[in-house]
Amino acid sequence: MNKFLTDPRFAGIEPFKSKVWLSSPTMHGDEQRWVDEAIQTNWVSTVGENIDNVEKEMAAYIGSKYAVGLSCGTAALHLATKLAGERLYGQAKPNRGTLQGHRVFCSDMTFDASINPVAYEDGEAVFIDTERDTWNMDPVALEKAFELYPDVKLIVIAHLYGTPGKIDEIRAIADKHGALIVEDAAESLGATYKGVQTGIFGGYGAISFIGNKLFTVGANKNDACLAA
């Protein structure tokens, strides 16, 4: 416990006397009412009026046509990645992933949920260096990666700590090489790039409330959107 304090790099750092929670559990007010309502109306399920309304409101907020609720962020990103793989390479054979035999360019500084679905779908992640000013995927490094692996057709990018990446440059590179984008905007709900909410610039995207619910969404009003 607290062995890091012996590391000279952390000299002078004092541990917190009590835990600092990302969000403490609460169950009162509207939360209590909605839970009671779900029980009383027999909708303790993955569907129901509240979920439908959240999906519609989120789609309207981010400017997408659809939003579909899933169980967690990793599920949203997995579904987005799987659908992108099917769109690119067709439906997978039984017991095989949609990305089998294919490389995928991925942000190298992100939560592992951005990358795990590539492995779930039997793909090979190729990590793209991070740029200094935003800590997101470096467009220069991405272009260089296409020189090394010109056959890549899928890019998984993440907007780290609520800061959007350089979407215009990344999309231009993706379009140049005929590649799709899966956009992990789990940390950037409310963040905009040139006035547009993150999460709808790619072929598929994911948005989160940073707790337990995420949404995958489509790139534009013509694409189906998915949510978690």
Side-chain angles (χ1 to χ4, degrees), residues 173-194:
I173 295 170
D175 291 345
K176 175 183 175 181
H177 296 279
L180 287 179
I181 294 175
V182 168
E183 190 180 356
D184 182 354
E187 297 184 12
S188 58
L189 177 58
T192 60
Y193 180 84
K194 296 185 177 180

Side-chain angles (χ1 to χ4, degrees), residues 37-219:
E37 180 184 281
I39 295 173
Q40 292 165 4
T41 58
N42 220 23
W43 281 111
V44 182
S45 176
T46 56
V47 294
E49 183 179 359
N50 286 338
I51 294 176
D52 292 344
N53 288 337
V54 169
E55 291 171 346
K56 291 176 183 177
E57 291 177 11
M58 183 55 61
Y61 177 79
I62 64 178
S64 186
K65 189 174 182 180
Y66 303 105
V68 181
L70 280 86
S71 60
C72 65
T74 301
L77 287 161
H78 187 187
L79 184 54
T81 302
K82 184 178 184 69
L83 289 177
E86 287 188 353
R87 184 171 169 183
L88 288 166
Y89 307 116
Q91 189 172 5
K93 295 180 180 180
N95 300 318
R96 295 185 181 180
T98 59
L99 297 173
Q100 188 172 54
H102 300 285
R103 295 184 177 93
V104 179
F105 291 151
C106 302
S107 296
D108 70 346
M109 190 169 182
T110 180
F111 186 63
D112 60 0
S114 305
I115 315 302
N116 286 344
V118 175
Y120 299 158
E121 293 301 312
D122 297 327
E124 179 184 348
V126 176
F127 293 99
I128 308 301
D129 284 346
T130 298
E131 62 177 3
R132 291 179 180 272
D133 49 350
T134 71
W135 290 12
N136 292 307
M137 183 180 288
D138 186 347
V140 175
L142 178 62
E143 184 62 82
K144 180 63 177 179
F146 272 111
E147 295 178 11
L148 299 173
Y149 304 107
D151 58 328
V152 171
K153 296 300 179 184
L154 182 59
I155 304 168
V156 179
I157 65 172
H159 302 295
L160 197 66
Y161 304 137
T163 302
K166 293 178 179 175
I167 292 297
D168 282 349
E169 296 178 39
I170 292 173
R171 287 185 68 184
I173 295 170
D175 291 345
K176 175 183 175 181
H177 296 279
L180 287 179
I181 294 175
V182 168
E183 190 180 356
D184 182 354
E187 297 184 12
S188 58
L189 177 58
T192 60
Y193 180 84
K194 296 185 177 180
V196 179
Q197 165 66 48
T198 56
I200 62 171
F201 291 100
Y204 305 91
I207 297 179
S208 173
F209 295 109
I210 296 298
N212 47 15
K213 297 297 181 183
L214 269 91
F215 287 80
T216 65
V217 297

